[in-house]
Amino acid sequence: MRVLGIETSCDETAAAILCEKKGLLANQLYSQIELHSPYGGVVPELASRDHIRKLSPLVKETLHSAGLQLKQDIDAVAYTSGPGLMGALMVGAGFARSLAWSIGKPAIAVHHMEAHLLAPLIENIAPQFPYVALLVSGGHTLLVKIESVGKYKILGESIDDAVGEAFDKTAQMLGLPYPGGPEIARLALEGNPQRFSFPRPMTDRPGLDFSFSGIKTHVLNTLKELSSVDDQDRADVARAFEDAIVDTLRIKSLRALEQSGARTLVVAGGVGANKKLREQLKEKLAKKGLEVFYPAPEYCTDNAAMVAQLGLLRLDQLDSHNFADDKLAINVRPRWSLENL
Ligand code: KG4
Ligand code: ZN
């Protein structure tokens, strides 16, 4: 069985082909970062239009690089149907469903976050169930316990900004380009950790939810209080901000492991690339005999391999319903809780 996966939920156009026996045969991605960079964040309408331009050639290239023919070699088309940007999702869903229809194969709607949670299974040395996933990206901050495929419990989530969004907005305040995470991390290396201290929100009370808008306000107020802001000031703010975020994520992740009884933490999403977060989690978890697992960077951020994988897992569960009369309907779910799968 071979599944073509398509991902267009945000600012990455991606396509991949996963084979049940041989694993990943192709994995292509086109990032829109440059397109959105002047605006300091993703502009939904620009994202949709760019997906329209790029998706068809990208799928062709994906098939070509795997040496496969669509009609003969593909058994199903999986696509992200939510959560994400409405227009961007519509492009992927419309394309994927039409393509599947054209070759008489099933189209499989996939939940983007579920695909992220199971992304580590693509790799040869996958973590054992149960594990806790810390999903930290531009759009999401989640702690989820994964008991097995299809069995998820949300332990905590952000009640306001996603952590990546906090990085991006703080970077904007510091005059840094988008995406802000890597820029802040770079600048923080020059910063003095003693100069400012920002709060570690919601760590002093029980529970596993997050809130990041307060730290952002703290950054704004700190900058306002300085009469003029020089390079050292900006580096010191970046350092205080990064330290506060990393501490918060570490405290909550450890708490999630302790409360859930799982022994492995999987870190996914773009913020998972943060070096300080990686070092701290590795060190603190090891002290408690716990493990941290990082999927390879290409499976950590948005990609279509994870979509194809979930499609492959779902293919077994498909019934005739998938070929029934709603086959031509194109429905997406911009808001879609993991608990309503
Ligand atoms: O998962 P991702 O690539 O895309 C989506 O959110 O869809 O995550 C992107 C986010 C951005 O907010 C970016 O600023 C953040 O990940 N990011 C980082 C780092 N690299 C990327 N945040 C902190 N430190 C980093 N090194
Ligand atoms: Zn994502």
Side-chain angles (χ1 to χ4, degrees), residues 19-88:
C19 171
E20 199 176 8
K21 294 206 182 86
K22 295 186 182 158
L24 202 57
L25 303 179
N27 191 21
Q28 302 269 339
L29 182 130
Y30 172 80
S31 167
Q32 300 179 352
I33 280 188
E34 268 181 42
L35 178 72
H36 302 292
S37 180
Y39 306 95
V42 178
V43 183
E45 184 56 28
L46 293 182
S48 321
R49 289 179 195 204
D50 207 48
H51 286 310
I52 292 174
R53 272 191 292 268
K54 300 288 171 17
L55 185 54
S56 176
L58 191 80
V59 167
K60 263 193 199 149
E61 205 179 306
T62 306
L63 284 160
H64 181 74
S65 72
L68 299 175
Q69 303 284 329
L70 177 66
K71 205 165 163 56
Q72 288 102 297
D73 302 321
I74 298 298
D75 300 294
V77 183
Y79 63 97
T80 303
S81 72
L85 301 171
M86 174 66 133

Side-chain angles (χ1 to χ4, degrees), residues 170-177 183-192 195-196 198 219 222-223 226 228-242:
T170 297
Q172 211 174 12
M173 286 188 253
L174 293 171
L176 300 168
E183 299 290 333
I184 289 194
R186 204 169 304 130
L187 191 59
L189 293 173
E190 320 284 320
N192 170 6
R195 177 144 172 231
F196 303 113
F198 292 170
V219 172
T222 305
L223 291 171
L226 298 166
S228 70
V229 181
D230 64 19
D231 285 351
Q232 191 57 51
D233 295 330
R234 295 186 320 131
D236 294 345
V237 169
R239 177 64 191 256
F241 172 82
E242 191 187 40

Side-chain angles (χ1 to χ4, degrees), residues 5-243:
I6 289 176
E7 158 63 38
T8 62
S9 67
C10 190
D11 60 344
E12 263 99 24
T13 317
I17 300 167
L18 190 67
C19 171
E20 199 176 8
K21 294 206 182 86
K22 295 186 182 158
L24 202 57
L25 303 179
N27 191 21
Q28 302 269 339
L29 182 130
Y30 172 80
S31 167
Q32 300 179 352
I33 280 188
E34 268 181 42
L35 178 72
H36 302 292
S37 180
Y39 306 95
V42 178
V43 183
E45 184 56 28
L46 293 182
S48 321
R49 289 179 195 204
D50 207 48
H51 286 310
I52 292 174
R53 272 191 292 268
K54 300 288 171 17
L55 185 54
S56 176
L58 191 80
V59 167
K60 263 193 199 149
E61 205 179 306
T62 306
L63 284 160
H64 181 74
S65 72
L68 299 175
Q69 303 284 329
L70 177 66
K71 205 165 163 56
Q72 288 102 297
D73 302 321
I74 298 298
D75 300 294
V77 183
Y79 63 97
T80 303
S81 72
L85 301 171
M86 174 66 133
L89 290 167
M90 284 300 290
V91 176
F95 184 89
R97 294 200 75 87
S98 311
L99 198 66
W101 177 82
S102 77
I103 57 171
K105 300 285 165 56
I108 307 169
V110 158
H111 190 291
H112 181 79
M113 309 310 283
E114 184 181 15
H116 268 304
L117 298 179
L118 300 178
L121 306 184
I122 300 170
E123 299 188 61
N124 291 333
I125 330 160
Q128 298 285 312
F129 295 122
Y131 57 84
V132 168
L134 171 69
L135 196 52
V136 275
S137 72
H140 303 276
T141 312
L142 274 179
L143 273 167
V144 186
K145 183 176 184 189
I146 292 99
E147 306 264 9
S148 59
V149 174
K151 221 169 155 201
Y152 317 111
K153 183 165 189 263
I154 296 181
L155 305 171
E157 57 194 321
S158 177
I159 58 167
D160 42 55
D161 291 352
V163 63
E165 194 181 352
F167 267 101
D168 296 335
K169 288 179 178 168
T170 297
Q172 211 174 12
M173 286 188 253
L174 293 171
L176 300 168
Y178 172 85
E183 299 290 333
I184 289 194
R186 204 169 304 130
L187 191 59
L189 293 173
E190 320 284 320
N192 170 6
Q194 315 299 343
R195 177 144 172 231
F196 303 113
S197 176
F198 292 170
R200 276 66 173 152
M202 301 176 73
T203 52
D204 55 352
R205 55 181 122 143
L208 293 165
D209 284 339
F210 301 93
S211 163
F212 294 107
S213 67
I215 308 189
K216 214 178 53 193
T217 310
H218 229 82
V219 172
L220 187 64
N221 292 340
T222 305
L223 291 171
K224 273 189 190 155
E225 278 164 21
L226 298 166
S227 48
S228 70
V229 181
D230 64 19
D231 285 351
Q232 191 57 51
D233 295 330
R234 295 186 320 131
D236 294 345
V237 169
R239 177 64 191 256
F241 172 82
E242 191 187 40
D243 283 353

